Coordinates of all heavy atoms in Angstrom, one line a residue:
M1 N 27.5 16.4 -1.1 CA 26.2 17.0 -1.5 C 26.3 18.5 -1.5 O 27.0 19.1 -0.7 CB 25.1 16.6 -0.5 CG 24.8 15.2 -0.6 SD 23.2 14.7 0.3 CE 23.1 15.8 1.7
K2 N 25.7 19.1 -2.5 CA 25.7 20.6 -2.6 C 24.8 21.1 -1.5 O 23.6 20.7 -1.3 CB 25.2 21.0 -3.9 CG 26.2 20.9 -5.1 CD 25.5 21.5 -6.3 CE 26.6 21.8 -7.4 NZ 26.0 22.4 -8.5
P3 N 25.2 22.1 -0.8 CA 24.3 22.7 0.2 C 23.2 23.6 -0.4 O 23.4 24.2 -1.4 CB 25.3 23.6 1.0 CG 26.4 23.9 0.1 CD 26.5 22.7 -0.8
G4 N 22.1 23.6 0.2 CA 21.0 24.4 -0.2 C 20.1 24.0 -1.3 O 19.2 24.7 -1.7
I5 N 20.4 22.8 -1.9 CA 19.5 22.3 -3.0 C 18.6 21.2 -2.7 O 17.8 20.8 -3.4 CB 20.4 22.0 -4.3 CG1 21.3 20.8 -4.0 CG2 21.2 23.1 -4.7 CD1 21.9 20.2 -5.2
H6 N 18.8 20.6 -1.5 CA 18.0 19.4 -1.1 C 16.9 19.8 -0.2 O 17.0 20.7 0.7 CB 18.9 18.4 -0.4 CG 20.0 17.9 -1.3 ND1 19.8 17.0 -2.3 CD2 21.3 18.2 -1.4 CE1 20.9 16.7 -2.9 NE2 21.9 17.5 -2.4
P7 N 15.7 19.2 -0.3 CA 14.6 19.5 0.6 C 15.0 19.1 2.1 O 15.8 18.2 2.3 CB 13.5 18.6 0.1 CG 14.1 17.6 -0.7 CD 15.4 18.1 -1.2
E8 N 14.3 19.7 3.0 CA 14.6 19.4 4.4 C 14.1 18.0 4.8 O 13.0 17.6 4.4 CB 13.8 20.4 5.3 CG 14.0 20.2 6.8 CD 13.2 21.2 7.6 OE1 12.6 22.1 7.0 OE2 13.2 21.0 8.8
Y9 N 14.9 17.2 5.5 CA 14.6 15.9 5.9 C 14.3 15.9 7.3 O 15.2 16.2 8.2 CB 15.9 15.0 5.5 CG 15.7 13.5 5.6 CD1 14.8 12.9 4.8 CD2 16.4 12.8 6.5 CE1 14.7 11.5 4.8 CE2 16.3 11.4 6.6 CZ 15.4 10.8 5.8 OH 15.3 9.4 5.8
R10 N 13.1 15.6 7.7 CA 12.7 15.7 9.1 C 11.7 14.6 9.5 O 11.2 13.9 8.7 CB 12.1 17.1 9.3 CG 10.8 17.3 8.5 CD 10.2 18.6 8.8 NE 9.0 18.8 7.9 CZ 9.1 19.2 6.7 NH1 10.3 19.5 6.1 NH2 8.0 19.4 5.9
P11 N 11.4 14.5 10.8 CA 10.4 13.5 11.3 C 9.0 13.8 10.8 O 8.6 15.0 10.8 CB 10.5 13.6 12.8 CG 11.8 14.3 13.1 CD 12.1 15.1 11.9
V12 N 8.3 12.8 10.3 CA 6.9 13.0 9.8 C 6.1 11.8 10.3 O 6.7 10.6 10.3 CB 6.9 13.0 8.3 CG1 5.5 13.1 7.7 CG2 7.7 14.2 7.8
V13 N 4.9 12.0 10.6 CA 4.0 10.9 11.0 C 3.1 10.5 9.8 O 2.5 11.4 9.2 CB 3.1 11.3 12.2 CG1 2.1 10.2 12.4 CG2 3.9 11.5 13.4
Y14 N 3.1 9.2 9.4 CA 2.2 8.7 8.4 C 1.1 8.0 9.1 O 1.3 7.2 10.0 CB 3.0 7.7 7.4 CG 3.9 8.4 6.4 CD1 5.2 8.7 6.7 CD2 3.4 8.9 5.2 CE1 6.0 9.4 5.8 CE2 4.2 9.5 4.3 CZ 5.5 9.8 4.6 OH 6.3 10.4 3.7
R15 N -0.1 8.3 8.7 CA -1.3 7.8 9.4 C -2.3 7.1 8.4 O -2.6 7.7 7.4 CB -2.0 8.9 10.1 CG -3.3 8.5 10.8 CD -3.8 9.7 11.6 NE -4.0 10.8 10.8 CZ -4.3 12.0 11.3 NH1 -4.4 12.3 12.6 NH2 -4.5 13.1 10.5
D16 N -2.6 5.9 8.7 CA -3.6 5.1 8.0 C -4.9 5.1 8.8 O -5.0 4.4 9.8 CB -3.1 3.7 7.7 CG -4.1 2.8 6.9 OD1 -5.2 3.3 6.6 OD2 -3.7 1.7 6.6
R17 N -5.8 6.0 8.4 CA -7.1 6.1 9.2 C -7.9 4.8 9.2 O -8.6 4.5 10.1 CB -7.9 7.3 8.8 CG -7.2 8.6 9.2 CD -8.1 9.8 8.8 NE -7.5 11.0 9.1 CZ -7.9 11.8 10.1 NH1 -8.9 11.5 10.8 NH2 -7.3 12.9 10.4
A18 N -7.9 4.1 8.1 CA -8.8 2.9 7.9 C -8.4 1.9 8.9 O -9.2 1.1 9.4 CB -8.7 2.4 6.5
A19 N -7.1 1.8 9.2 CA -6.6 0.7 10.1 C -6.3 1.3 11.5 O -5.8 0.5 12.4 CB -5.4 0.1 9.6
D20 N -6.5 2.6 11.7 CA -6.2 3.2 13.0 C -4.7 2.9 13.3 O -4.4 2.4 14.4 CB -7.1 2.8 14.1 CG -7.0 3.7 15.3 OD1 -6.6 4.9 15.1 OD2 -7.2 3.2 16.4
F21 N -3.8 3.2 12.4 CA -2.4 2.9 12.5 C -1.6 4.1 12.1 O -1.9 4.8 11.1 CB -2.1 1.7 11.6 CG -0.6 1.3 11.6 CD1 0.0 0.8 12.7 CD2 0.1 1.6 10.5 CE1 1.3 0.4 12.7 CE2 1.5 1.2 10.4 CZ 2.1 0.6 11.5
A22 N -0.5 4.4 12.8 CA 0.4 5.6 12.5 C 1.8 5.2 12.9 O 2.0 4.4 13.8 CB -0.1 6.8 13.2
F23 N 2.7 5.7 12.1 CA 4.1 5.5 12.5 C 4.9 6.8 12.2 O 4.6 7.5 11.3 CB 4.7 4.3 11.7 CG 4.7 4.4 10.2 CD1 5.7 4.8 9.5 CD2 3.5 4.0 9.5 CE1 5.7 4.9 8.1 CE2 3.5 4.0 8.2 CZ 4.6 4.5 7.5
L24 N 6.0 6.9 13.0 CA 6.9 8.1 12.9 C 8.1 7.6 12.1 O 8.7 6.6 12.4 CB 7.2 8.6 14.3 CG 8.2 9.7 14.3 CD1 7.6 11.0 13.7 CD2 8.6 10.0 15.8
T25 N 8.5 8.4 11.1 CA 9.7 8.1 10.3 C 10.2 9.5 9.8 O 9.7 10.5 10.1 CB 9.4 7.2 9.1 OG1 10.6 6.8 8.5 CG2 8.4 7.9 8.1
R26 N 11.3 9.4 9.1 CA 11.9 10.7 8.6 C 11.6 10.7 7.1 O 11.6 9.7 6.4 CB 13.4 10.7 8.8 CG 13.7 10.8 10.3 CD 15.2 10.8 10.6 NE 16.0 11.7 9.8 CZ 16.2 13.0 10.2 NH1 15.6 13.5 11.2 NH2 16.9 13.8 9.4
S27 N 11.3 11.9 6.6 CA 10.9 12.1 5.2 C 11.1 13.5 4.8 O 11.2 14.4 5.6 CB 9.4 11.7 5.1 OG 9.0 11.9 3.8
T28 N 11.0 13.8 3.5 CA 11.1 15.1 2.9 C 9.6 15.6 2.6 O 9.5 16.7 2.2 CB 11.9 15.2 1.7 OG1 11.3 14.3 0.7 CG2 13.3 14.8 1.9
A29 N 8.6 14.7 2.8 CA 7.2 15.1 2.6 C 6.8 16.2 3.6 O 7.3 16.3 4.7 CB 6.3 13.9 2.7
T30 N 5.9 17.1 3.1 CA 5.4 18.2 3.9 C 3.9 18.1 4.1 O 3.2 17.5 3.2 CB 5.8 19.5 3.4 OG1 5.2 19.7 2.1 CG2 7.3 19.7 3.3
S31 N 3.4 18.7 5.1 CA 1.9 18.7 5.3 C 1.6 19.9 6.2 O 2.4 20.3 7.1 CB 1.5 17.4 6.0 OG 0.1 17.5 6.3
E32 N 0.5 20.5 6.0 CA 0.0 21.6 6.8 C -0.6 21.0 8.1 O -0.6 21.7 9.2 CB -1.1 22.4 6.1 CG -0.5 23.1 4.9 CD 0.5 24.2 5.2 OE1 0.3 24.9 6.2 OE2 1.5 24.3 4.4
Q33 N -1.1 19.8 8.1 CA -1.7 19.2 9.3 C -0.6 18.7 10.2 O 0.5 18.3 9.8 CB -2.5 18.0 8.9 CG -3.7 18.3 8.0 CD -4.5 17.1 7.7 OE1 -4.0 16.0 7.9 NE2 -5.7 17.3 7.1
T34 N -0.9 18.8 11.5 CA 0.1 18.3 12.5 C -0.6 17.4 13.5 O -1.8 17.4 13.6 CB 0.8 19.4 13.3 OG1 -0.3 20.2 13.9 CG2 1.6 20.3 12.3
V35 N 0.2 16.6 14.2 CA -0.4 15.7 15.2 C 0.6 15.6 16.4 O 1.8 15.7 16.1 CB -0.7 14.3 14.6 CG1 0.6 13.6 14.3 CG2 -1.5 13.4 15.6
E36 N 0.1 15.5 17.6 CA 1.0 15.3 18.7 C 1.3 13.8 18.9 O 0.4 13.0 19.0 CB 0.4 15.9 20.0 CG 1.3 15.9 21.2 CD 0.8 16.6 22.4 OE1 -0.1 17.5 22.2 OE2 1.2 16.3 23.5
W37 N 2.5 13.5 18.9 CA 3.0 12.1 19.0 C 3.1 11.7 20.4 O 3.0 12.5 21.3 CB 4.3 11.9 18.2 CG 4.7 10.5 17.9 CD1 5.8 9.9 18.4 CD2 4.0 9.6 17.1 NE1 5.8 8.6 17.9 CE2 4.7 8.4 17.1 CE3 2.8 9.6 16.4 CZ2 4.3 7.2 16.4 CZ3 2.4 8.5 15.7 CH2 3.1 7.3 15.7
T38 N 3.3 10.4 20.7 CA 3.4 9.9 22.0 C 4.6 10.4 22.8 O 4.6 10.4 24.1 CB 3.5 8.4 22.0 OG1 4.6 8.0 21.2 CG2 2.3 7.7 21.4
D39 N 5.6 11.0 22.1 CA 6.8 11.5 22.8 C 6.5 13.0 23.3 O 7.4 13.6 23.8 CB 8.0 11.5 22.0 CG 7.9 12.2 20.7 OD1 6.9 12.9 20.4 OD2 8.9 12.2 19.9
G40 N 5.3 13.5 23.0 CA 5.0 14.9 23.4 C 5.3 15.9 22.3 O 4.9 17.1 22.5
H41 N 6.0 15.6 21.3 CA 6.3 16.5 20.2 C 5.2 16.6 19.2 O 4.5 15.6 19.0 CB 7.7 16.2 19.6 CG 8.8 16.3 20.5 ND1 9.3 15.3 21.3 CD2 9.6 17.4 20.7 CE1 10.3 15.8 22.0 NE2 10.6 17.0 21.6
T42 N 5.2 17.7 18.4 CA 4.2 17.8 17.4 C 4.9 17.7 16.0 O 6.0 18.3 15.8 CB 3.5 19.2 17.4 OG1 2.9 19.3 18.7 CG2 2.5 19.4 16.3
Y43 N 4.4 16.8 15.2 CA 5.0 16.5 13.9 C 4.0 16.7 12.8 O 2.7 16.6 13.0 CB 5.5 15.1 13.8 CG 6.5 14.7 14.9 CD1 6.2 14.0 16.0 CD2 7.8 15.2 14.7 CE1 7.1 13.6 16.9 CE2 8.8 14.9 15.7 CZ 8.4 14.1 16.8 OH 9.4 13.8 17.7
P44 N 4.4 17.0 11.5 CA 3.5 17.0 10.4 C 2.9 15.6 10.2 O 3.6 14.6 10.4 CB 4.4 17.4 9.2 CG 5.7 17.8 9.7 CD 5.8 17.3 11.1
V45 N 1.7 15.5 9.8 CA 1.1 14.2 9.6 C 0.6 14.1 8.1 O 0.0 15.0 7.6 CB -0.1 13.9 10.6 CG1 -1.2 14.9 10.4 CG2 -0.6 12.5 10.4
I46 N 0.8 12.9 7.5 CA 0.4 12.7 6.2 C -0.5 11.5 6.2 O -0.1 10.4 6.7 CB 1.6 12.4 5.2 CG1 2.4 13.7 5.2 CG2 1.1 12.0 3.8 CD1 3.7 13.6 4.4
D47 N -1.8 11.6 5.7 CA -2.7 10.5 5.7 C -2.5 9.7 4.5 O -2.5 10.3 3.4 CB -4.2 11.1 5.8 CG -4.5 11.7 7.1 OD1 -4.0 11.1 8.2 OD2 -5.2 12.7 7.2
V48 N -2.5 8.4 4.6 CA -2.3 7.5 3.5 C -3.5 6.6 3.4 O -4.2 6.4 4.4 CB -1.0 6.6 3.6 CG1 0.2 7.5 3.5 CG2 -1.0 5.9 4.9
Q49 N -3.9 6.1 2.2 CA -5.1 5.3 2.1 C -4.8 3.8 2.5 O -5.7 3.1 2.9 CB -5.5 5.3 0.6 CG -6.1 6.7 0.3 CD -6.5 6.7 -1.2 OE1 -6.5 5.7 -1.9 NE2 -7.0 7.8 -1.6
I50 N -3.6 3.4 2.4 CA -3.3 2.0 2.7 C -1.9 1.9 3.3 O -1.0 2.6 2.9 CB -3.4 1.1 1.4 CG1 -3.5 -0.4 1.8 CG2 -2.4 1.4 0.4 CD1 -4.2 -1.2 0.8
S51 N -1.7 1.0 4.2 CA -0.4 0.8 4.8 C -0.2 -0.7 5.1 O -1.1 -1.5 4.8 CB -0.3 1.6 6.1 OG -1.1 1.0 7.1
S52 N 0.9 -1.1 5.8 CA 1.1 -2.5 6.1 C 0.0 -3.0 7.0 O -0.2 -4.2 7.1 CB 2.5 -2.7 6.7 OG 2.6 -1.9 7.9
A53 N -0.6 -2.1 7.8 CA -1.7 -2.5 8.7 C -3.0 -2.8 8.0 O -3.9 -3.5 8.6 CB -1.9 -1.4 9.8
S54 N -3.2 -2.3 6.8 CA -4.5 -2.5 6.1 C -4.4 -3.2 4.8 O -5.4 -3.6 4.2 CB -5.2 -1.2 5.9 OG -4.4 -0.3 5.1
H55 N -3.2 -3.4 4.3 CA -3.0 -4.1 3.0 C -3.2 -5.6 3.1 O -2.6 -6.2 4.0 CB -1.6 -3.8 2.4 CG -1.5 -4.2 1.0 ND1 -1.3 -5.5 0.6 CD2 -1.5 -3.4 -0.1 CE1 -1.2 -5.5 -0.7 NE2 -1.4 -4.3 -1.2
P56 N -4.0 -6.2 2.3 CA -4.3 -7.7 2.4 C -3.1 -8.5 2.4 O -3.1 -9.6 3.1 CB -5.2 -8.0 1.2 CG -5.8 -6.7 0.9 CD -4.8 -5.6 1.2
F57 N -2.1 -8.2 1.7 CA -0.9 -9.0 1.6 C -0.2 -9.1 3.0 O 0.2 -10.2 3.4 CB 0.1 -8.5 0.6 CG 1.4 -9.3 0.5 CD1 1.5 -10.4 -0.2 CD2 2.6 -8.8 1.2 CE1 2.6 -11.2 -0.3 CE2 3.7 -9.6 1.1 CZ 3.8 -10.7 0.4
W58 N -0.1 -8.0 3.7 CA 0.5 -8.0 5.0 C -0.3 -8.5 6.1 O 0.1 -8.9 7.2 CB 1.1 -6.6 5.3 CG 2.0 -6.1 4.3 CD1 1.9 -5.2 3.3 CD2 3.4 -6.6 4.1 NE1 3.0 -5.0 2.6 CE2 3.9 -5.9 3.0 CE3 4.1 -7.6 4.8 CZ2 5.2 -6.1 2.6 CZ3 5.4 -7.8 4.3 CH2 6.0 -7.1 3.2
T59 N -1.7 -8.3 6.0 CA -2.6 -8.7 7.1 C -2.9 -10.2 7.0 O -3.5 -10.7 8.0 CB -3.9 -7.9 7.0 OG1 -4.5 -8.1 5.8 CG2 -3.6 -6.4 7.2
G60 N -2.7 -10.9 5.9 CA -3.0 -12.3 5.7 C -4.5 -12.5 5.3 O -4.9 -13.6 5.2
R61 N -5.2 -11.4 4.9 CA -6.5 -11.6 4.4 C -6.6 -11.6 2.9 O -7.6 -11.2 2.3 CB -7.4 -10.4 5.0 CG -7.6 -10.5 6.5 CD -8.4 -9.3 6.9 NE -7.6 -8.1 6.6 CZ -8.0 -6.9 7.0 NH1 -9.1 -6.7 7.6 NH2 -7.2 -5.8 6.7
Q62 N -5.5 -12.0 2.3 CA -5.4 -12.0 0.9 C -6.3 -13.2 0.3 O -6.3 -14.3 0.8 CB -4.0 -12.2 0.5 CG -3.7 -12.2 -1.0 CD -2.2 -12.2 -1.3 OE1 -1.4 -11.9 -0.4 NE2 -1.9 -12.5 -2.5
R63 N -7.0 -12.9 -0.8 CA -7.8 -13.9 -1.4 C -7.0 -14.4 -2.6 O -6.4 -13.7 -3.4 CB -9.1 -13.3 -1.9 CG -10.0 -12.9 -0.8 CD -11.3 -12.4 -1.4 NE -11.1 -11.8 -2.7 CZ -12.1 -11.4 -3.5 NH1 -13.4 -11.5 -3.1 NH2 -11.9 -10.8 -4.6
L64 N -7.0 -15.7 -2.8 CA -6.4 -16.3 -4.0 C -7.5 -16.5 -5.0 O -8.5 -17.3 -4.8 CB -5.8 -17.7 -3.7 CG -4.6 -17.6 -2.7 CD1 -4.1 -19.0 -2.4 CD2 -3.5 -16.8 -3.4
L65 N -7.4 -15.8 -6.1 CA -8.4 -15.8 -7.1 C -8.2 -16.9 -8.2 O -9.1 -17.4 -8.8 CB -8.5 -14.5 -7.8 CG -8.9 -13.3 -7.0 CD1 -8.8 -12.0 -7.8 CD2 -10.2 -13.5 -6.4
D66 N -6.9 -17.3 -8.4 CA -6.6 -18.1 -9.4 C -5.8 -19.4 -8.9 O -4.6 -19.3 -8.6 CB -5.7 -17.4 -10.4 CG -5.4 -18.1 -11.7 OD1 -6.1 -19.2 -11.9 OD2 -4.6 -17.7 -12.5
T67 N -6.5 -20.5 -8.7 CA -5.9 -21.6 -8.1 C -5.3 -22.6 -9.2 O -4.4 -23.3 -9.0 CB -6.9 -22.4 -7.2 OG1 -8.0 -22.8 -8.0 CG2 -7.3 -21.6 -6.0
E68 N -5.9 -22.6 -10.4 CA -5.4 -23.4 -11.4 C -4.3 -22.8 -12.3 O -3.4 -23.5 -12.7 CB -6.6 -23.8 -12.4 CG -7.6 -24.8 -11.9 CD -8.6 -25.1 -13.0 OE1 -8.2 -25.1 -14.2 OE2 -9.7 -25.3 -12.6
G69 N -4.5 -21.5 -12.5 CA -3.6 -20.9 -13.4 C -4.4 -20.4 -14.6 O -5.3 -21.0 -15.0
R70 N -4.0 -19.2 -15.1 CA -4.8 -18.6 -16.2 C -4.8 -19.4 -17.5 O -5.8 -19.5 -18.2 CB -4.3 -17.2 -16.4 CG -4.6 -16.3 -15.3 CD -4.1 -14.9 -15.5 NE -4.2 -14.1 -14.3 CZ -5.0 -13.1 -14.3 NH1 -5.6 -12.6 -15.3 NH2 -5.1 -12.4 -13.1
V71 N -3.6 -20.0 -17.8 CA -3.5 -20.7 -19.1 C -4.4 -22.0 -19.0 O -5.2 -22.3 -20.0 CB -2.1 -21.1 -19.4 CG1 -2.0 -22.0 -20.6 CG2 -1.3 -19.8 -19.6
E72 N -4.4 -22.7 -17.9 CA -5.2 -23.9 -17.7 C -6.7 -23.6 -17.8 O -7.5 -24.3 -18.4 CB -4.9 -24.6 -16.4 CG -3.5 -25.3 -16.4 CD -2.3 -24.3 -16.2 OE1 -2.6 -23.2 -15.8 OE2 -1.2 -24.7 -16.5
K73 N -7.1 -22.5 -17.2 CA -8.5 -22.1 -17.2 C -8.9 -21.8 -18.7 O -10.0 -22.2 -19.1 CB -8.7 -20.8 -16.4 CG -8.9 -21.1 -14.9 CD -9.2 -19.8 -14.2 CE -9.7 -20.1 -12.8 NZ -10.1 -18.9 -12.2
F74 N -8.1 -21.1 -19.4 CA -8.4 -20.7 -20.8 C -8.5 -22.0 -21.6 O -9.5 -22.2 -22.4 CB -7.2 -19.9 -21.4 CG -7.4 -19.5 -22.8 CD1 -8.2 -18.5 -23.2 CD2 -6.8 -20.3 -23.8 CE1 -8.4 -18.2 -24.5 CE2 -6.9 -20.0 -25.1 CZ -7.7 -18.9 -25.5
R75 N -7.6 -22.9 -21.5 CA -7.6 -24.2 -22.2 C -8.9 -25.0 -21.9 O -9.5 -25.6 -22.8 CB -6.4 -25.0 -22.0 CG -5.2 -24.4 -22.7 CD -3.9 -25.3 -22.4 NE -2.8 -24.7 -23.1 CZ -1.6 -24.9 -22.7 NH1 -1.3 -25.7 -21.7 NH2 -0.6 -24.3 -23.4
A76 N -9.2 -25.1 -20.6 CA -10.4 -25.8 -20.2 C -11.7 -25.2 -20.8 O -12.6 -25.9 -21.2 CB -10.5 -25.9 -18.7
K77 N -11.7 -23.9 -20.7 CA -12.9 -23.2 -21.2 C -13.1 -23.4 -22.7 O -14.2 -23.7 -23.2 CB -12.8 -21.7 -20.9 CG -14.0 -20.9 -21.3 CD -13.8 -19.4 -20.9 CE -15.0 -18.6 -21.4 NZ -14.8 -17.2 -21.0
Y78 N -12.1 -23.2 -23.5 CA -12.2 -23.3 -24.9 C -12.0 -24.7 -25.5 O -12.3 -24.9 -26.7 CB -11.2 -22.3 -25.6 CG -11.8 -20.9 -25.4 CD1 -11.2 -20.0 -24.4 CD2 -12.8 -20.4 -26.1 CE1 -11.7 -18.8 -24.1 CE2 -13.3 -19.1 -25.9 CZ -12.8 -18.3 -24.9 OH -13.3 -17.1 -24.7
A79 N -11.6 -25.6 -24.7 CA -11.6 -27.0 -25.1 C -13.0 -27.5 -25.4 O -13.3 -28.3 -26.3 CB -10.9 -27.9 -24.1
R80 N -13.9 -27.1 -24.6 CA -15.4 -27.4 -24.8 C -15.9 -26.9 -26.1 O -16.6 -27.6 -26.9 CB -16.2 -26.9 -23.7 CG -16.0 -27.6 -22.4 CD -16.8 -27.0 -21.3 NE -16.1 -25.8 -20.7 CZ -16.7 -24.8 -20.2 NH1 -18.0 -24.7 -20.1 NH2 -15.9 -23.8 -19.8
H81 N -15.5 -25.7 -26.5 CA -15.9 -25.1 -27.7 C -15.3 -25.8 -28.9 O -16.0 -25.9 -30.0 CB -15.6 -23.6 -27.8 CG -16.3 -22.8 -26.7 ND1 -17.7 -22.6 -26.8 CD2 -15.9 -22.1 -25.6 CE1 -18.1 -21.9 -25.7 NE2 -17.0 -21.6 -25.0
A82 N -14.1 -26.1 -28.9 CA -13.4 -26.8 -29.9 C -13.9 -28.2 -30.2 O -14.0 -28.6 -31.4 CB -11.9 -26.9 -29.6
S83 N -14.4 -28.9 -29.2 CA -14.9 -30.2 -29.4 C -16.3 -30.2 -30.0 O -16.7 -31.1 -30.7 CB -15.0 -31.0 -28.0 OG -15.9 -30.3 -27.2
R84 N -17.0 -29.1 -29.9 CA -18.3 -28.9 -30.5 C -18.2 -28.7 -32.0 O -19.0 -29.1 -32.8 CB -19.1 -27.7 -29.9 CG -19.6 -27.9 -28.6 CD -20.4 -26.8 -28.1 NE -20.4 -26.6 -26.7 CZ -20.8 -25.6 -26.0 NH1 -21.2 -24.5 -26.7 NH2 -20.7 -25.6 -24.7
R85 N -17.1 -28.0 -32.4 CA -17.0 -27.7 -33.9 C -16.5 -28.9 -34.7 O -16.7 -28.9 -35.9 CB -16.0 -26.6 -34.0 CG -16.5 -25.3 -33.5 CD -15.5 -24.2 -33.7 NE -16.0 -23.0 -33.1 CZ -15.4 -21.8 -33.1 NH1 -14.1 -21.8 -33.6 NH2 -15.9 -20.8 -32.6
S86 N -15.8 -29.9 -34.1 CA -15.3 -31.0 -34.9 C -16.3 -32.0 -35.2 O -17.4 -32.1 -34.8 CB -14.1 -31.7 -34.2 OG -13.7 -31.2 -33.1

């Protein structure tokens, strides 16, 4: 790697306020806001709107909207209209 052309890679806290969840990882992202972590150090914090703690796929609160399948629903809906015209 060429020296001096890559952004600084450092510990950053990502926080999901909706789920009251935060995790410490390494990133090149920057932020003016900081937070004191459980290890006593202060890290930049980046607020995210959704994380694994609040996303329906990961929490198991996912709703299944389509149980039949879209093609079958379309055929069932328009089969009624086709039988009226004949």
Side-chain angles (χ1 to χ4, degrees):
M1 291 192 326
K2 283 185 167 181
I5 64 168
H6 299 283
E8 183 183 351
Y9 192 64
R10 63 179 175 275
V12 175
V13 174
Y14 283 90
R15 178 174 55 192
D16 181 356
R17 289 185 182 250
D20 193 29
F21 176 71
F23 60 94
L24 178 65
T25 188
R26 294 180 51 86
S27 177
T28 59
T30 60
S31 175
E32 296 295 321
Q33 297 178 349
T34 60
V35 67
E36 187 172 335
W37 194 244
T38 56
D39 62 2
H41 291 91
T42 301
Y43 299 106
V45 63
I46 297 175
D47 290 323
V48 293
Q49 293 181 0
I50 196 158
S51 70
S52 61
S54 60
H55 193 281
F57 179 80
W58 299 109
T59 61
R61 294 179 295 184
Q62 182 174 343
R63 296 184 326 176
L64 293 175
L65 299 176
D66 190 9
T67 56
E68 284 185 35
R70 294 178 186 244
V71 174
E72 288 79 13
K73 279 185 166 182
F74 177 84
R75 287 181 181 158
K77 180 178 179 180
Y78 287 101
R80 290 179 276 150
H81 295 293
S83 63
R84 287 187 207 165
R85 291 183 183 175
S86 357

